[in-house]
Amino acid sequence: MDKLTLKNKKVVYGIWVAIALVYAGLAFAVFYKFAGMNNSDTFAHAVGIVDIWIPNGFAEYFNRLSYPGWHVVTRFFMLFGLSLAQAAGASSAVFAFLTAVIVFYVCSMIFGWESDKRIWLAAGTGIILLFVTALYVPWYTDRIYYGQGSPTIWHSPTYLAVKPFALLSCLLLFQMIRKREAKAKTCVVYALLTLVCLFMKPSFFQVQAPAVFVYLVLDLIMYRDWRFVRNVALTFIPAILYMLLQFWIMFYSSTGGGEGISLCFFDVYKFTCRSLPVSVLLLLAFPLYATGVLWKDIFRKGSPYLFLGFMLVAGFCEYSFLMENGPRMMHGNFSWGYMLSVFLYWAFVLPLFFKRSFVVKDIAWPLAIIGCVLVAWHFGSGIIYYLQLLLDPTNTLLF
């Protein structure tokens, strides 16, 4: 086995920082564009800073939008004289940069640091993860995102803001489960990360909480480790209290504009797609395939991959069976947790698949080739998706 050299390690670090900066620049370009388009999510979030926060104060703004993380960073950039659109692009670039750096760390953690080959594979895998989206099938739809969704979303600033912290939160829990340790300091950090995620966008907690609960129940049955389960469970108490406040503001208060939540049966999901099974398959082609190939790793006793799978199921169920009442009924706001769970599943499963295919080499080559073809298709679709958003002057290919 070729050993990892310090020189190559520094080279990879430098290259990855450069890639993260390029990725941040790409985020700036597209979010700067959307901040000037009044039919975009970015414009809707950004304009509230000028119309509500600045004239009425932050408390009034929080009463209308209880997850102002992206908005706080945008307002910070405005203090330096940037225009609203420039500040929106700059804050989005910051979160994109953080996402890229953490993606690389997750990949390198799964591949290991034992050789140059592993660390270069981790870098290549990270680049793929920054762009993957639903499979693009032109004869099915010319709109890659609409109807299918995507683990990489370029039009929602709050989705982008929560992404790096959700990934870091999952990484921390992943390590706690793998090491069977839930020390006090680690749990405090995990609790704070969960609160930060809620401050950015509550969608992650909506899939994180039920998934971790199910995992902890299974963990207790398997190991009878009351201390581990108790310590992890206690980390959610501050977040639950904050989430209750957010829940009230966003769905039931007059300031939040919500009119409550109802049950549905795929009504919102089917509203945006021609065929529900096809759209699900286009979004989850590789994750489902990889789950089948890697089932021994994912479903073994005590596997840290289990809670990621539970998040994916929780997200799918929330999008399929919950909807808001009133005019926001078909906005699909319960899809955000689902899209985040898809990205998080990708982020941990793709490095494992490549590690098994190219390092350990215990996946049969025909299965590895099929997986690589699917990954290439997802990645190529993601590049096309970004270019569509950046170059389409009317935004019609998104909505």
Side-chain angles (χ1 to χ4, degrees):
M1 180 183 294
D2 57 324
K3 294 184 178 180
L4 179 65
T5 64
L6 180 61
K7 180 179 178 181
N8 280 354
K9 193 173 183 180
K10 290 181 177 179
V11 169
V12 174
Y13 282 159
I15 291 175
W16 192 256
V17 169
I19 291 171
L21 288 171
V22 171
Y23 191 68
L26 294 175
F28 176 87
V30 74
F31 281 95
Y32 173 76
K33 170 195 170 183
F34 283 146
M37 303 181 70
N38 59 12
N39 63 337
S40 72
D41 282 4
T42 306
F43 177 85
H45 282 281
V47 76
I49 298 173
V50 176
D51 291 349
I52 303 172
W53 182 349
I54 294 177
N56 300 308
F58 180 75
E60 175 65 21
Y61 191 66
F62 185 85
N63 284 333
R64 294 172 182 255
L65 187 77
S66 58
Y67 52 100
W70 177 86
H71 314 79
V72 169
V73 179
T74 301
R75 179 73 180 106
F76 172 78
F77 279 111
M78 291 176 66
L79 296 176
F80 293 91
L82 273 65
S83 69
L84 182 61
Q86 291 170 335
S91 62
S92 301
V94 169
F95 293 115
F97 179 84
L98 291 175
T99 299
V101 171
I102 299 170
V103 161
F104 173 65
Y105 185 82
V106 170
C107 291
S108 61
M109 181 271 297
I110 294 175
F111 272 101
W113 298 81
E114 292 88 349
S115 68
D116 293 339
K117 178 181 179 180
R118 290 180 183 235
I119 204 64
W120 282 110
L121 281 171
T125 304
I127 293 173
I128 293 172
L129 287 170
L130 295 178
F131 289 95
V132 288
T133 193
L135 298 180
Y136 180 36
V137 182
W139 54 89
Y140 177 70
T141 178
D142 61 347
R143 296 187 287 183
I144 300 176
Y145 168 80
Y146 192 75
Q148 286 69 245
S150 172
T152 305
I153 294 174
W154 292 99
H155 69 278
S156 172
T158 51
Y159 178 92
L160 184 66
V162 74
K163 204 172 178 181
F165 302 104
L167 183 57
L168 201 57
S169 174
C170 286
L171 174 62
L172 189 58
L173 182 59
F174 190 94
Q175 294 286 56
M176 284 195 288
I177 292 172
R178 191 162 69 169
K179 296 178 180 178
R180 300 295 310 164
E181 291 180 354
K183 297 180 179 178
K185 290 182 179 180
T186 306
C187 288
V188 169
V189 174
Y190 186 64
L192 291 175
L193 275 174
T194 304
L195 284 173
V196 170
C197 289
L198 280 168
F199 191 68
M200 298 297 169
K201 192 175 184 72
S203 302
F204 172 63
F205 189 72
Q206 292 170 14
V207 295
Q208 177 196 26
V212 174
F213 173 78
V214 172
Y215 181 86
L216 290 178
V217 170
L218 291 178
D219 188 275
L220 189 60
I221 294 172
M222 290 186 293
Y223 293 103
R224 295 289 195 270
D225 189 348
W226 289 91
R227 183 178 180 181
F228 178 83
V229 171
R230 180 202 64 196
N231 289 355
V232 175
L234 287 174
T235 64
F236 284 88
I237 292 178
I240 290 172
L241 297 175
Y242 184 18
M243 183 64 181
L244 289 174
L245 174 62
Q246 290 182 316
F247 186 82
W248 170 257
I249 290 174
M250 297 309 300
F251 296 118
Y252 290 98
S253 73
S254 58
T255 56
E259 298 182 23
I261 301 172
S262 297
L263 296 176
C264 67
F265 189 72
F266 299 106
D267 294 349
V268 181
Y269 207 144
K270 291 187 292 187
F271 179 75
T272 60
C273 64
R274 292 169 54 186
S275 169
L276 181 60
V278 172
S279 290
V280 171
L281 182 61
L282 293 179
L283 177 65
L284 298 176
F286 174 77
L288 292 175
Y289 178 79
T291 301
V293 174
L294 300 169
W295 66 271
K296 289 183 179 179
D297 292 283
I298 294 173
F299 296 108
R300 65 177 170 80
K301 179 181 177 181
S303 169
Y305 289 90
L306 280 176
F307 84 90
L308 297 163
F310 292 152
M311 281 200 301
L312 194 59
V313 173
F316 177 79
C317 291
E318 287 179 8
Y319 186 25
S320 301
F321 306 126
L322 294 177
M323 66 180 181
E324 295 181 76
N325 296 328
R328 299 196 305 219
M329 182 177 292
M330 293 302 168
H331 287 190
N333 286 324
F334 282 103
S335 69
W336 297 116
Y338 180 35
M339 298 305 114
L340 271 168
S341 65
V342 174
F343 166 73
L344 294 167
Y345 197 72
W346 262 98
F348 286 85
V349 170
L350 180 62
L352 178 63
F353 182 84
F354 280 167
K355 179 181 179 180
R356 295 295 188 197
S357 298
F358 303 122
V359 178
V360 182
K361 297 181 179 179
D362 59 356
I363 295 179
W365 66 265
L367 297 179
I369 290 176
I370 293 172
C372 289
V373 169
L374 287 174
V375 170
W377 192 353
H378 278 288
F379 177 69
S381 300
I383 298 296
I384 296 172
Y385 169 47
Y386 176 82
L387 292 175
Q388 279 188 347
L389 296 183
L390 186 65
L391 301 177
D392 175 26
T394 62
N395 217 22
T396 55
L397 288 176
L398 179 59
F399 302 108

